[in-house]
Amino acid sequence: MAMIETKGVHKTFPAKNGRKPLKVLTDVSLTVEQKEVVCIVGPSGAGKSTFLRTLNRLETFDEGQIYIEDKLLFDYRNARNQAEITTLERNKLLLEVGMVFQRFNLFPHQTSLENVMLAPVNVRKIPVAEAEKKAKAMLELVGLADKFNAYPAQLSGGQQQRVAIARALAMQPKVMLFDEPTSALDPELVGEVLSVMKQLAQDGMTMLVVTHEMGFAKEVANRVVFMCDGSIVETAPPHEFFVNPRNERTQQFLQNVL
């Protein structure tokens, strides 16, 4: 069963301040199978993050279809959703999709434990005692067993991002989206976050990762997707993608980043 499938997704930002409309996604079709790790790479402005945000309704789109667990959530035609699904059922399916952002977005007035507990208690309506037990387990999973009561300001960037990962995992998602999760970190802190992500992959978590970390993509991904100018240009297993890219634009990109 495909965990995520998109068909012909298009997105254009409207004209603003005298500028022309900006087409950011053009006919993006992608399938992510259960327990698969797919890394999306490409130059800045390629539409990678916008595409990721369409998958959980953080960004609307103009045309195309998005399926989660083979259920049609969005079927946009003329910027209107035609999918025959109730709002309740759609929101329930969207809870299966966890997301980790470039910025950590932690609540500064809450401890690590409180940040991780918040959504399970308020969204999934899990009893506080059960949510606390789960939150502690997730923080232990990301190597922060000694930081339950620390506030974000008392944590390094890498630690804050690991709290953000624990927060997403506490919602018990079936698939995780990562939007350049290491881009806001100092270089020496990148490894600790990638290590957690590698462990999630080894444990069988379905993951769709927008990243500039080519080493991670080589080592962990089942497939690498190259996006440029709002479209998917090339898709291949890592050993093919990095050793023998077929598209000229992919080759140029890899020459610049490797």
Side-chain angles (χ1 to χ4, degrees):
M1 178 181 66
M3 290 300 300
I4 293 174
E5 184 177 9
T6 72
K7 296 181 179 179
V9 173
H10 293 254
K11 168 71 177 181
T12 299
F13 287 120
K16 192 175 182 180
N17 298 328
R19 296 180 180 178
K20 296 180 180 180
L22 178 63
K23 180 167 280 192
V24 290
L25 296 175
T26 304
D27 196 25
V28 179
S29 299
L30 179 69
T31 300
V32 181
E33 301 292 345
Q34 191 173 16
K35 296 187 177 182
E36 188 177 27
V37 178
V38 176
C39 286
I40 302 178
V41 303
S44 297
K48 308 182 299 293
S49 293
T50 299
F51 173 63
L52 209 66
R53 291 169 65 87
T54 65
L55 299 176
N56 58 2
R57 205 170 55 178
L58 291 176
E59 191 72 66
T60 60
F61 58 102
D62 307 319
E63 184 180 341
Q65 300 174 324
I66 292 179
Y67 297 78
I68 303 292
E69 292 189 282
D70 291 339
K71 298 286 182 65
L72 180 60
L73 269 66
F74 304 105
D75 181 9
Y76 273 94
R77 297 173 232 167
N78 299 317
R80 292 187 61 188
N81 187 16
Q82 309 290 325
E84 296 181 356
I85 185 172
T86 66
T87 300
L88 182 65
E89 186 178 3
R90 181 187 300 117
N91 289 343
K92 184 178 179 181
L93 283 165
L94 286 173
L95 289 178
E96 307 294 352
V97 183
M99 187 159 184
V100 177
F101 301 87
Q102 297 178 31
R103 297 289 173 179
F104 325 123
N105 298 327
L106 301 178
F107 290 106
H109 61 287
Q110 294 189 320
T111 65
S112 300
L113 187 63
E114 290 167 341
N115 266 283
V116 176
M117 288 176 58
L118 188 65
V121 170
N122 290 284
V123 178
R124 286 206 181 267
K125 306 302 180 184
I126 294 174
V128 171
E130 182 181 341
E132 181 176 350
K133 182 179 179 181
K134 182 69 174 179
K136 287 181 177 179
M138 293 301 97
L139 287 167
E140 289 172 359
L141 181 68
V142 300
L144 294 174
D146 59 337
K147 301 295 183 182
F148 291 164
N149 297 315
Y151 289 90
Q154 299 171 316
L155 301 173
S156 70
Q159 289 171 332
Q160 289 185 60
Q161 190 63 294
R162 284 188 280 156
V163 172
I165 294 173
R167 177 181 57 186
L169 292 173
M171 289 292 286
Q172 300 177 298
K174 294 182 179 179
V175 57
M176 288 280 284
L177 310 179
F178 291 87
D179 185 10
E180 299 186 21
T182 60
S183 64
L185 300 178
D186 292 333
E188 67 267 24
L189 302 177
V190 169
E192 64 189 65
V193 174
L194 294 181
S195 178
V196 170
M197 294 171 63
K198 290 175 185 177
Q199 187 60 54
L200 290 177
Q202 291 171 9
D203 292 342
M205 174 63 74
T206 307
M207 297 164 60
L208 182 57
V209 184
V210 171
T211 184
H212 292 298
E213 301 292 339
M214 298 300 142
F216 175 84
K218 284 181 182 179
E219 182 180 349
V220 180
N222 300 109
R223 281 186 296 139
V224 182
V225 174
F226 176 64
M227 285 188 68
C228 186
D229 297 328
S231 298
I232 292 177
V233 175
E234 186 165 353
T235 303
H239 62 277
E240 293 181 19
F241 183 86
F242 289 104
V243 174
N244 189 30
R246 297 182 179 182
N247 186 275
E248 184 178 344
R249 184 64 184 90
T250 311
Q251 295 169 7
Q252 180 186 8
F253 172 78
L254 292 175
Q255 286 173 1
N256 291 333
V257 300
L258 295 179

